[in-house]
């Protein structure tokens, strides 16, 4: 289900059934001469469209304006759009806070950009992770007042956690590929791995005839890209999403 297409009765049902609500989180970044700047975002969106066929899911409108950085190429004539994490965090907090106000408790953001070191974090995912935490604290204080954690009603806080009732799981940020997937699949920027994924998921975003125009080290392996390799990666990602997104 697309959130913007949902009627209030459908939203109420999604809340009651704790259906996962997913924000595709992305950037616009130079991905070589042969691939579209939306690659990282398109990969998340297309994977969510595939997993939506097999499970109930609410897909939020995509947020594409993350912190691409100019690490790969300068923006002039190349297309990268950079919005810093310091600007993203307040926006994301309001977004998550609103989703909690609506009633959702199973909210996920999924990102593919700069996720090779996800535990330590990079500007876009860190901004959204911080925002999720801030929104949850703010929401709990609004609902239960200051001192909510210390009062008697929270006496079972830790045992409730063990039972899966941790409020800090209400908003989660995940990389599209797990570290296991990255170990088994060519993880790169605009090389064989990403180009293959696009050939499988969104072939309109690739012009293989332009691979020869690339001059950068990170695009050198793109020549070996194939839809079959991309389909293998997509299958691994699907497996991961099935575990992450549950009612
Ligand atoms: Zn990428």
């Amino acid at each position: 289900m697309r959130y913007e297409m949902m009627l209030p009765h459908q939203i109420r049902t999604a809340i009651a059934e704790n259906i996962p609500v997913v924000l595709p989180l992305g950037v616009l970044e130079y991905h070589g001469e042969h691939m579209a700047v939306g690659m990282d975002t398109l990969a998340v969106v297309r994977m969510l469209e595939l997993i939506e066929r097999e499970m109930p899911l609410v897909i939020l409108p995509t947020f594409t304006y993350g912190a691409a950085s100019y690490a790969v190429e300068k923006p002039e004539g190349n297309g990268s759009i950079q919005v810093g994490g310091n600007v993203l965090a307040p926006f994301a907090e309001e977004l998550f806070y609103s989703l909690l106000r609506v009633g959702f408790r199973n909210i996920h953001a999924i990102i593919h950009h700069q996720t090779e070191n996800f535990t330590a974090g990079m500007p876009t995912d860190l901004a959204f992770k911080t925002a999720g935490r801030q929104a949850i604290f703010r929401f709990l204080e609004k609902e239960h007042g200051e001192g909510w954690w210390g009062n008697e009603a929270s006496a079972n806080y830790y045992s409730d956690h063990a039972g899966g009732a941790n409020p800090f799981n209400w908003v989660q940020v995940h990389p599209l590929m797990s570290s296991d997937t990255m170990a088994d699949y060519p993880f790169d920027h605009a090389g064989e791995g990403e180009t293959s994924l696009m050939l499988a998921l969104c072939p309109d975003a690739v012009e293989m005839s332009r691979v020869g125009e690339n001059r950068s080290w990170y695009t050198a392996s793109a020549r070996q890209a194939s839809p079959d390799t991309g389909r293998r990666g997509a299958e691994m990602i699907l497996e991961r999403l099935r575990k992450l997104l549950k009612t």
Side-chain angles (χ1 to χ4, degrees), residues 91-142:
F91 160 80
E93 181 181 333
E94 297 307 317
L95 173 62
F96 289 142
Y97 186 68
S98 284
L99 292 167
L100 291 171
R101 288 284 305 266
V102 171
F104 296 122
R105 300 288 183 271
N106 192 4
I107 303 162
H108 304 261
I110 298 183
I111 182 166
H112 177 58
H113 175 65
Q114 294 176 342
T115 55
E116 62 273 24
N117 198 0
F118 192 77
T119 309
M122 284 296 197
T124 308
D125 52 272
L126 282 174
F128 277 73
K129 281 185 213 173
T130 303
R133 288 289 184 263
Q134 298 272 89
I136 292 166
F137 271 111
R138 197 169 132 200
F139 182 79
L140 288 168
E141 287 183 17
K142 176 190 169 292

Short mmCIF file of all heavy atoms in Angstrom, two decimals, residues 91-142:
data_model
loop_
_atom_site.label_atom_id
_atom_site.label_comp_id
_atom_site.label_asym_id
_atom_site.label_seq_id
_atom_site.Cartn_x
_atom_site.Cartn_y
_atom_site.Cartn_z
N PHE A 91 14.29 17.55 10.36
CA PHE A 91 13.20 17.15 9.46
C PHE A 91 12.72 15.74 9.81
O PHE A 91 11.53 15.48 9.96
CB PHE A 91 13.67 17.20 8.00
CG PHE A 91 12.82 16.38 7.07
CD1 PHE A 91 11.62 16.88 6.61
CD2 PHE A 91 13.20 15.10 6.71
CE1 PHE A 91 10.79 16.10 5.80
CE2 PHE A 91 12.38 14.31 5.90
CZ PHE A 91 11.19 14.82 5.44
N ALA A 92 13.69 14.83 9.92
CA ALA A 92 13.34 13.42 10.16
C ALA A 92 12.67 13.24 11.51
O ALA A 92 11.76 12.41 11.66
CB ALA A 92 14.60 12.56 10.06
N GLU A 93 13.08 14.02 12.52
CA GLU A 93 12.43 13.90 13.83
C GLU A 93 10.95 14.26 13.72
O GLU A 93 10.08 13.56 14.27
CB GLU A 93 13.12 14.81 14.86
CG GLU A 93 12.46 14.68 16.23
CD GLU A 93 13.08 15.57 17.30
OE1 GLU A 93 14.28 15.91 17.18
OE2 GLU A 93 12.36 15.92 18.24
N GLU A 94 10.66 15.34 13.01
CA GLU A 94 9.25 15.73 12.85
C GLU A 94 8.47 14.66 12.09
O GLU A 94 7.32 14.36 12.40
CB GLU A 94 9.13 17.07 12.11
CG GLU A 94 9.77 18.25 12.84
CD GLU A 94 9.28 18.40 14.27
OE1 GLU A 94 8.07 18.27 14.52
OE2 GLU A 94 10.12 18.66 15.15
N LEU A 95 9.10 14.10 11.07
CA LEU A 95 8.44 13.05 10.29
C LEU A 95 8.12 11.84 11.16
O LEU A 95 6.98 11.35 11.19
CB LEU A 95 9.35 12.65 9.11
CG LEU A 95 8.89 11.45 8.28
CD1 LEU A 95 7.55 11.74 7.60
CD2 LEU A 95 9.93 11.10 7.23
N PHE A 96 9.12 11.35 11.89
CA PHE A 96 8.90 10.17 12.74
C PHE A 96 7.90 10.47 13.86
O PHE A 96 7.06 9.63 14.20
CB PHE A 96 10.23 9.67 13.32
CG PHE A 96 11.14 9.02 12.31
CD1 PHE A 96 12.53 9.22 12.37
CD2 PHE A 96 10.64 8.20 11.32
CE1 PHE A 96 13.37 8.62 11.45
CE2 PHE A 96 11.47 7.59 10.39
CZ PHE A 96 12.85 7.80 10.46
N TYR A 97 8.01 11.66 14.43
CA TYR A 97 7.09 12.05 15.50
C TYR A 97 5.65 12.04 14.98
O TYR A 97 4.73 11.54 15.64
CB TYR A 97 7.47 13.43 16.04
CG TYR A 97 6.69 13.86 17.25
CD1 TYR A 97 6.85 13.22 18.48
CD2 TYR A 97 5.77 14.92 17.17
CE1 TYR A 97 6.13 13.61 19.59
CE2 TYR A 97 5.05 15.32 18.29
CZ TYR A 97 5.23 14.66 19.49
OH TYR A 97 4.51 15.06 20.59
N SER A 98 5.44 12.56 13.80
CA SER A 98 4.10 12.56 13.20
C SER A 98 3.61 11.14 12.97
O SER A 98 2.43 10.84 13.20
CB SER A 98 4.12 13.28 11.85
OG SER A 98 4.16 14.65 12.04
N LEU A 99 4.48 10.27 12.49
CA LEU A 99 4.07 8.88 12.25
C LEU A 99 3.68 8.19 13.56
O LEU A 99 2.72 7.40 13.60
CB LEU A 99 5.19 8.10 11.54
CG LEU A 99 5.47 8.56 10.10
CD1 LEU A 99 6.79 7.96 9.60
CD2 LEU A 99 4.33 8.16 9.16
N LEU A 100 4.39 8.52 14.65
CA LEU A 100 4.02 7.97 15.96
C LEU A 100 2.68 8.55 16.40
O LEU A 100 1.83 7.84 16.96
CB LEU A 100 5.11 8.29 17.00
CG LEU A 100 6.44 7.56 16.81
CD1 LEU A 100 7.50 8.13 17.76
CD2 LEU A 100 6.29 6.05 17.05
N ARG A 101 2.46 9.84 16.15
CA ARG A 101 1.17 10.46 16.49
C ARG A 101 0.03 9.78 15.72
O ARG A 101 -1.05 9.57 16.27
CB ARG A 101 1.19 11.96 16.14
CG ARG A 101 2.03 12.85 17.03
CD ARG A 101 1.41 13.13 18.39
NE ARG A 101 0.08 13.70 18.35
CZ ARG A 101 -0.21 15.01 18.38
NH1 ARG A 101 0.76 15.90 18.45
NH2 ARG A 101 -1.46 15.43 18.35
N VAL A 102 0.26 9.46 14.47
CA VAL A 102 -0.78 8.78 13.68
C VAL A 102 -1.13 7.44 14.34
O VAL A 102 -2.29 7.03 14.35
CB VAL A 102 -0.29 8.57 12.22
CG1 VAL A 102 -1.24 7.66 11.45
CG2 VAL A 102 -0.16 9.92 11.52
N GLY A 103 -0.13 6.79 14.92
CA GLY A 103 -0.39 5.54 15.62
C GLY A 103 0.51 4.39 15.23
O GLY A 103 0.41 3.30 15.79
N PHE A 104 1.41 4.61 14.28
CA PHE A 104 2.30 3.52 13.84
C PHE A 104 3.36 3.22 14.90
O PHE A 104 3.91 4.13 15.52
CB PHE A 104 2.97 3.89 12.52
CG PHE A 104 1.99 4.05 11.37
CD1 PHE A 104 1.91 5.24 10.66
CD2 PHE A 104 1.14 3.02 11.01
CE1 PHE A 104 1.02 5.39 9.61
CE2 PHE A 104 0.24 3.15 9.96
CZ PHE A 104 0.17 4.35 9.25
N ARG A 105 3.66 1.93 15.07
CA ARG A 105 4.68 1.49 16.03
C ARG A 105 5.66 0.51 15.37
O ARG A 105 6.36 -0.21 16.07
CB ARG A 105 4.02 0.82 17.25
CG ARG A 105 3.06 1.69 18.01
CD ARG A 105 3.79 2.78 18.80
NE ARG A 105 2.84 3.56 19.58
CZ ARG A 105 2.22 4.66 19.11
NH1 ARG A 105 2.48 5.11 17.90
NH2 ARG A 105 1.36 5.30 19.87
N ASN A 106 5.62 0.45 14.06
CA ASN A 106 6.45 -0.53 13.34
C ASN A 106 7.04 0.18 12.11
O ASN A 106 6.75 -0.16 10.98
CB ASN A 106 5.56 -1.72 12.95
CG ASN A 106 6.37 -2.92 12.48
OD1 ASN A 106 7.60 -2.91 12.50
ND2 ASN A 106 5.67 -3.96 12.03
N ILE A 107 7.87 1.19 12.40
CA ILE A 107 8.33 2.12 11.36
C ILE A 107 9.79 1.79 11.01
O ILE A 107 10.63 1.60 11.90
CB ILE A 107 8.25 3.58 11.88
CG1 ILE A 107 6.81 3.90 12.31
CG2 ILE A 107 8.75 4.57 10.83
CD1 ILE A 107 6.69 5.12 13.21
N HIS A 108 10.07 1.74 9.72
CA HIS A 108 11.42 1.41 9.26
C HIS A 108 11.85 2.37 8.16
O HIS A 108 11.05 2.71 7.29
CB HIS A 108 11.45 -0.01 8.68
CG HIS A 108 10.96 -1.05 9.63
ND1 HIS A 108 11.81 -1.84 10.38
CD2 HIS A 108 9.70 -1.41 9.99
CE1 HIS A 108 11.09 -2.66 11.14
NE2 HIS A 108 9.81 -2.42 10.93
N ALA A 109 13.10 2.78 8.19
CA ALA A 109 13.70 3.50 7.06
C ALA A 109 14.78 2.58 6.49
O ALA A 109 15.53 1.97 7.25
CB ALA A 109 14.30 4.82 7.51
N ILE A 110 14.83 2.48 5.17
CA ILE A 110 15.82 1.60 4.53
C ILE A 110 16.66 2.42 3.57
O ILE A 110 16.13 3.18 2.74
CB ILE A 110 15.13 0.42 3.84
CG1 ILE A 110 14.40 -0.40 4.91
CG2 ILE A 110 16.16 -0.44 3.09
CD1 ILE A 110 13.73 -1.62 4.40
N ILE A 111 17.97 2.25 3.69
CA ILE A 111 18.91 3.06 2.90
C ILE A 111 19.98 2.17 2.29
O ILE A 111 20.39 1.17 2.87
CB ILE A 111 19.54 4.16 3.81
CG1 ILE A 111 20.50 5.05 3.02
CG2 ILE A 111 20.25 3.56 5.03
CD1 ILE A 111 20.89 6.33 3.75
N HIS A 112 20.42 2.57 1.10
CA HIS A 112 21.50 1.81 0.45
C HIS A 112 22.80 2.63 0.35
O HIS A 112 23.86 2.07 0.11
CB HIS A 112 21.06 1.36 -0.94
CG HIS A 112 22.12 0.63 -1.71
ND1 HIS A 112 22.70 -0.53 -1.23
CD2 HIS A 112 22.71 0.89 -2.89
CE1 HIS A 112 23.61 -0.94 -2.09
NE2 HIS A 112 23.65 -0.10 -3.11
N HIS A 113 22.72 3.94 0.57
CA HIS A 113 23.86 4.83 0.35
C HIS A 113 24.87 4.77 1.51
O HIS A 113 24.48 4.92 2.67
CB HIS A 113 23.32 6.26 0.21
CG HIS A 113 24.38 7.31 0.10
ND1 HIS A 113 25.25 7.39 -0.96
CD2 HIS A 113 24.70 8.34 0.92
CE1 HIS A 113 26.05 8.43 -0.79
NE2 HIS A 113 25.74 9.02 0.34
N GLN A 114 26.15 4.56 1.20
CA GLN A 114 27.23 4.59 2.21
C GLN A 114 26.96 3.67 3.40
O GLN A 114 27.11 4.07 4.55
CB GLN A 114 27.45 6.03 2.72
CG GLN A 114 27.98 6.97 1.66
CD GLN A 114 28.10 8.42 2.17
OE1 GLN A 114 27.50 8.80 3.17
NE2 GLN A 114 28.87 9.23 1.45
N THR A 115 26.54 2.44 3.12
CA THR A 115 26.17 1.56 4.24
C THR A 115 27.24 0.53 4.58
O THR A 115 26.99 -0.37 5.38
CB THR A 115 24.84 0.83 3.93
OG1 THR A 115 24.98 0.14 2.68
CG2 THR A 115 23.68 1.80 3.87
N GLU A 116 28.44 0.67 3.98
CA GLU A 116 29.47 -0.35 4.23
C GLU A 116 29.95 -0.34 5.68
O GLU A 116 30.55 -1.30 6.14
CB GLU A 116 30.66 -0.18 3.26
CG GLU A 116 31.41 1.12 3.37
CD GLU A 116 30.81 2.23 2.53
OE1 GLU A 116 29.61 2.15 2.22
OE2 GLU A 116 31.52 3.19 2.20
N ASN A 117 29.70 0.75 6.39
CA ASN A 117 30.09 0.81 7.79
C ASN A 117 28.91 1.29 8.61
O ASN A 117 28.97 2.30 9.31
CB ASN A 117 31.28 1.77 7.93
CG ASN A 117 32.01 1.57 9.23
OD1 ASN A 117 31.64 0.71 10.03
ND2 ASN A 117 33.04 2.36 9.45
N PHE A 118 27.82 0.54 8.52
CA PHE A 118 26.54 1.03 9.04
C PHE A 118 26.52 1.16 10.56
O PHE A 118 25.86 2.03 11.11
CB PHE A 118 25.42 0.08 8.58
CG PHE A 118 24.05 0.66 8.81
CD1 PHE A 118 23.53 1.62 7.96
CD2 PHE A 118 23.28 0.24 9.88
CE1 PHE A 118 22.27 2.16 8.17
CE2 PHE A 118 22.02 0.77 10.09
CZ PHE A 118 21.52 1.74 9.23
N THR A 119 27.25 0.30 11.25
CA THR A 119 27.21 0.34 12.72
C THR A 119 27.75 1.68 13.22
O THR A 119 27.17 2.30 14.10
CB THR A 119 28.05 -0.82 13.31
OG1 THR A 119 27.60 -2.02 12.68
CG2 THR A 119 27.85 -0.94 14.79
N ALA A 120 28.86 2.11 12.64
CA ALA A 120 29.40 3.42 13.02
C ALA A 120 28.54 4.54 12.43
O ALA A 120 28.34 5.57 13.07
CB ALA A 120 30.84 3.56 12.53
N GLY A 121 28.04 4.33 11.25
CA GLY A 121 27.10 5.27 10.67
C GLY A 121 27.73 6.29 9.74
O GLY A 121 28.93 6.56 9.79
N MET A 122 26.90 6.83 8.86
CA MET A 122 27.26 7.90 7.94
C MET A 122 26.19 8.99 8.05
O MET A 122 25.12 8.73 8.62
CB MET A 122 27.36 7.35 6.51
CG MET A 122 28.62 6.55 6.26
SD MET A 122 30.10 7.58 6.41
CE MET A 122 31.29 6.55 5.58
N PRO A 123 26.45 10.19 7.51
CA PRO A 123 25.56 11.32 7.83
C PRO A 123 24.05 11.07 7.64
O PRO A 123 23.27 11.41 8.53
CB PRO A 123 26.08 12.43 6.92
CG PRO A 123 27.55 12.15 6.85
CD PRO A 123 27.65 10.64 6.80
N THR A 124 23.63 10.49 6.53
CA THR A 124 22.18 10.35 6.33
C THR A 124 21.58 9.37 7.34
O THR A 124 20.59 9.69 8.01
CB THR A 124 21.86 9.87 4.89
OG1 THR A 124 22.52 10.72 3.97
CG2 THR A 124 20.37 9.90 4.63
N ASP A 125 22.18 8.18 7.45
CA ASP A 125 21.57 7.21 8.37
C ASP A 125 21.71 7.65 9.82
O ASP A 125 20.78 7.44 10.62
CB ASP A 125 22.13 5.80 8.14
CG ASP A 125 23.62 5.72 8.14
OD1 ASP A 125 24.24 5.90 7.07
OD2 ASP A 125 24.19 5.46 9.20
N LEU A 126 22.83 8.29 10.16
CA LEU A 126 22.97 8.78 11.55
C LEU A 126 21.89 9.82 11.86
O LEU A 126 21.32 9.82 12.95
CB LEU A 126 24.35 9.40 11.76
CG LEU A 126 25.50 8.42 11.96
CD1 LEU A 126 26.83 9.18 12.01
CD2 LEU A 126 25.32 7.60 13.23
N ALA A 127 21.64 10.71 10.91
CA ALA A 127 20.62 11.76 11.12
C ALA A 127 19.26 11.11 11.37
O ALA A 127 18.52 11.52 12.27
CB ALA A 127 20.56 12.69 9.91
N PHE A 128 18.93 10.11 10.57
CA PHE A 128 17.62 9.47 10.72
C PHE A 128 17.56 8.58 11.97
O PHE A 128 16.51 8.45 12.58
CB PHE A 128 17.24 8.71 9.44
CG PHE A 128 16.64 9.62 8.40
CD1 PHE A 128 17.43 10.52 7.69
CD2 PHE A 128 15.27 9.63 8.16
CE1 PHE A 128 16.88 11.39 6.76
CE2 PHE A 128 14.70 10.49 7.23
CZ PHE A 128 15.50 11.37 6.53
N LYS A 129 18.71 7.97 12.33
CA LYS A 129 18.72 7.18 13.58
C LYS A 129 18.52 8.09 14.79
O LYS A 129 17.72 7.80 15.67
CB LYS A 129 20.08 6.46 13.73
CG LYS A 129 20.23 5.20 12.90
CD LYS A 129 21.58 4.55 13.26
CE LYS A 129 22.18 3.85 12.08
NZ LYS A 129 23.54 3.35 12.31
N THR A 130 19.28 9.18 14.83
CA THR A 130 19.13 10.15 15.93
C THR A 130 17.69 10.66 15.98
O THR A 130 17.08 10.75 17.05
CB THR A 130 20.09 11.35 15.71
OG1 THR A 130 21.41 10.84 15.61
CG2 THR A 130 20.02 12.33 16.87
N ALA A 131 17.17 11.00 14.82
CA ALA A 131 15.81 11.54 14.74
C ALA A 131 14.80 10.54 15.29
O ALA A 131 13.86 10.91 16.01
CB ALA A 131 15.48 11.86 13.29
N GLY A 132 14.97 9.26 14.99
CA GLY A 132 14.07 8.23 15.50
C GLY A 132 14.09 8.19 17.01
O GLY A 132 13.05 8.16 17.68
N ARG A 133 15.29 8.21 17.59
CA ARG A 133 15.43 8.19 19.05
C ARG A 133 14.77 9.42 19.68
O ARG A 133 14.04 9.34 20.66
CB ARG A 133 16.91 8.16 19.43
CG ARG A 133 17.59 6.84 19.15
CD ARG A 133 17.06 5.81 20.14
NE ARG A 133 17.73 4.53 20.01
CZ ARG A 133 17.24 3.50 19.33
NH1 ARG A 133 16.10 3.62 18.68
NH2 ARG A 133 17.87 2.36 19.30
N GLN A 134 15.06 10.59 19.11
CA GLN A 134 14.53 11.84 19.66
C GLN A 134 13.00 11.82 19.60
O GLN A 134 12.33 12.25 20.53
CB GLN A 134 15.03 13.03 18.84
CG GLN A 134 16.53 13.20 18.85
CD GLN A 134 16.98 14.04 20.02
OE1 GLN A 134 17.24 13.53 21.10
NE2 GLN A 134 17.07 15.33 19.80
N ALA A 135 12.46 11.35 18.47
CA ALA A 135 11.01 11.34 18.28
C ALA A 135 10.36 10.40 19.31
O ALA A 135 9.30 10.72 19.86
CB ALA A 135 10.67 10.90 16.86
N ILE A 136 11.00 9.26 19.57
CA ILE A 136 10.41 8.31 20.53
C ILE A 136 10.42 8.88 21.94
O ILE A 136 9.42 8.82 22.65
CB ILE A 136 11.17 6.96 20.46
CG1 ILE A 136 10.91 6.28 19.12
CG2 ILE A 136 10.74 6.04 21.60
CD1 ILE A 136 11.85 5.12 18.81
N PHE A 137 11.56 9.48 22.36
CA PHE A 137 11.60 10.11 23.68
C PHE A 137 10.52 11.19 23.80
O PHE A 137 9.80 11.27 24.80
CB PHE A 137 12.98 10.74 23.95
CG PHE A 137 13.96 9.77 24.59
CD1 PHE A 137 15.06 9.30 23.88
CD2 PHE A 137 13.78 9.35 25.90
CE1 PHE A 137 15.96 8.41 24.47
CE2 PHE A 137 14.68 8.47 26.49
CZ PHE A 137 15.77 8.00 25.77
N ARG A 138 10.45 12.00 22.77
CA ARG A 138 9.48 13.11 22.79
C ARG A 138 8.05 12.57 22.89
O ARG A 138 7.22 13.07 23.64
CB ARG A 138 9.66 13.92 21.51
CG ARG A 138 9.06 15.28 21.52
CD ARG A 138 9.58 16.03 20.28
NE ARG A 138 8.52 16.67 19.56
CZ ARG A 138 8.61 17.04 18.28
NH1 ARG A 138 9.71 16.80 17.59
NH2 ARG A 138 7.61 17.66 17.69
N PHE A 139 7.79 11.52 22.12
CA PHE A 139 6.44 10.95 22.10
C PHE A 139 6.10 10.31 23.45
O PHE A 139 4.99 10.50 23.97
CB PHE A 139 6.35 9.90 20.98
CG PHE A 139 4.99 9.30 20.86
CD1 PHE A 139 3.97 9.98 20.21
CD2 PHE A 139 4.71 8.05 21.40
CE1 PHE A 139 2.70 9.43 20.11
CE2 PHE A 139 3.44 7.50 21.30
CZ PHE A 139 2.43 8.19 20.66
N LEU A 140 7.04 9.58 24.04
CA LEU A 140 6.78 8.93 25.33
C LEU A 140 6.52 9.97 26.41
O LEU A 140 5.64 9.80 27.26
CB LEU A 140 7.97 8.04 25.71
CG LEU A 140 8.10 6.75 24.89
CD1 LEU A 140 9.46 6.10 25.14
CD2 LEU A 140 6.98 5.76 25.23
N GLU A 141 7.29 11.07 26.36
CA GLU A 141 7.08 12.12 27.37
C GLU A 141 5.73 12.81 27.18
O GLU A 141 5.07 13.18 28.15
CB GLU A 141 8.23 13.12 27.33
CG GLU A 141 9.49 12.52 27.93
CD GLU A 141 10.68 13.48 27.99
OE1 GLU A 141 10.47 14.70 27.86
OE2 GLU A 141 11.80 12.97 28.15
N LYS A 142 5.34 12.96 25.94
CA LYS A 142 4.03 13.57 25.68
C LYS A 142 2.90 12.66 26.18
O LYS A 142 1.94 13.10 26.80
CB LYS A 142 3.86 13.83 24.18
CG LYS A 142 2.49 14.37 23.82
CD LYS A 142 2.30 14.38 22.31
CE LYS A 142 0.85 14.66 21.94
NZ LYS A 142 -0.06 13.57 22.30
#
